[in-house]
Amino acid sequence: MLIAIGCDKDDNSSNNATSSISIKLMDDPADFDNVFVEVVDVMVKRIEDNDDENGWESLNPINTGVYDLLELTGGLNVLLVDDFQIPSGELNQIRLILGDDNTVVIDGETFSLNTPSAQQSGLKIKVNETLEANIGYTFLLDFMVDESIVIAGNSGNINLKPVIRASIEANTGAISGQVLPTGIQVEVTTEVGTEIVSTYTDEDGNFVLVGLDAGVYDLTITPEEASGLSPVIIEGVEVTVGNTTTIETVTIE
């Protein structure tokens, strides 16, 4: 059965909904040979409160290690967190935790960077964003090195007092809907390039396909074989970045 069906945009989220976030680190040019920092963790705090030390959650970064920030310019970046799922809603802060292997190279000579706050409590970046359900977001952390490294007078100490600018972009959309009758297992699939993205309806017949690039998709709705019902194809469902497209209720026969 082939159906062309209308759809609309729906940004509402449920209490159990999640969003995915990725975090990339980049830098602006600066007048140093190299600036090496050791990233050991990336954390977020979802709710703003007066307790600065509790409520932090690790995002299990995939690319920890030592990076030369001056190589992360001109559009280059390092992916620290890749599509990590967190509850939708308020996101208050991001925190970079640094190790102790942080140095700056000036005129060929290497100096240790003093980063006490970064090692003890992390580099905290206020974001204050609301994450919509089922949407993927990328946070770009722009490490302003030229403003962050301070040479402390006659002491010879070189301190890292980070200035980081954070920007956010939604990078995917989603498709949701309801399939009737309920009480049977129904698979919903679509093609994203050469890959198949799929999900099953819940007990009420609802489904959400997440992580979809902007574009137009055809959905295949396949009931379990024992039901005796026929598959349905939904053509021309448009997805835009940052939105969930909700199709009209589909009844399979």
Side-chain angles (χ1 to χ4, degrees), residues 20-24 59-63 79-85 137-138 171:
S20 68
I21 64 173
S22 299
I23 296 178
K24 296 179 179 180
L59 299 181
N60 297 330
I62 61 171
N63 287 318
L79 180 65
L80 297 178
V81 176
D82 187 20
D83 287 337
F84 191 89
Q85 297 290 321
Y137 295 88
T138 296
N171 51 25

Side-chain angles (χ1 to χ4, degrees), residues 19-226:
S19 305
S20 68
I21 64 173
S22 299
I23 296 178
K24 296 179 179 180
L25 182 64
M26 53 190 291
D27 180 39
D28 283 353
D31 193 21
F32 302 102
D33 296 346
N34 309 91
V35 178
F36 296 101
V37 296
E38 182 184 17
V39 179
V40 299
D41 200 0
V42 183
M43 310 179 79
V44 294
K45 188 171 188 176
R46 292 188 286 117
I47 305 299
E48 183 174 14
D49 56 34
N50 294 324
D51 187 345
D52 200 40
E53 293 309 314
N54 291 320
W56 291 96
E57 308 167 39
S58 175
L59 299 181
N60 297 330
I62 61 171
N63 287 318
T64 57
V66 178
Y67 294 99
D68 182 359
L69 294 176
L70 297 187
E71 291 185 354
L72 305 179
T73 61
L76 299 178
N77 58 68
V78 60
L79 180 65
L80 297 178
V81 176
D82 187 20
D83 287 337
F84 191 89
Q85 297 290 321
I86 66 171
S88 302
E90 181 181 352
L91 182 64
N92 179 245
Q93 295 181 68
I94 296 173
R95 174 189 271 181
L96 283 182
I97 306 294
L98 299 188
D100 55 11
D101 191 5
N102 307 293
T103 57
V104 58
V105 181
I106 304 173
D107 295 331
E109 187 174 356
T110 300
F111 301 89
S112 294
L113 275 174
N114 298 316
T115 56
S117 63
Q119 293 166 12
Q120 295 169 13
S121 61
L123 313 179
K124 299 170 187 172
I125 305 108
K126 287 275 191 180
V127 292
N128 291 326
E129 293 286 346
T130 299
L131 306 183
E132 299 294 336
N134 308 314
I135 302 301
Y137 295 88
T138 296
F139 287 87
L140 304 175
L141 304 185
D142 190 357
F143 209 120
M144 315 288 284
V145 165
D146 218 21
E147 301 176 37
S148 301
I149 294 180
V150 179
I151 300 177
N154 296 326
S155 69
N157 291 331
I158 303 179
N159 299 322
L160 180 64
K161 297 184 176 180
V163 178
I164 299 177
R165 180 179 61 206
S167 59
I168 181 176
E169 57 183 22
N171 51 25
T172 66
I175 298 173
S176 68
Q178 184 182 37
V179 179
L180 299 177
T182 60
I184 59 173
Q185 187 177 68
V186 177
E187 184 180 24
V188 183
T189 63
T190 192
E191 293 186 10
V192 180
T194 59
E195 298 182 353
I196 300 295
V197 175
S198 65
T199 189
Y200 287 97
T201 55
D202 64 15
E203 61 184 8
D204 296 317
N206 299 312
F207 71 89
V208 182
L209 288 168
V210 302
L212 303 178
D213 296 331
V216 178
Y217 294 87
D218 296 338
L219 308 184
T220 300
I221 299 175
T222 307
E224 60 184 352
E225 187 175 353

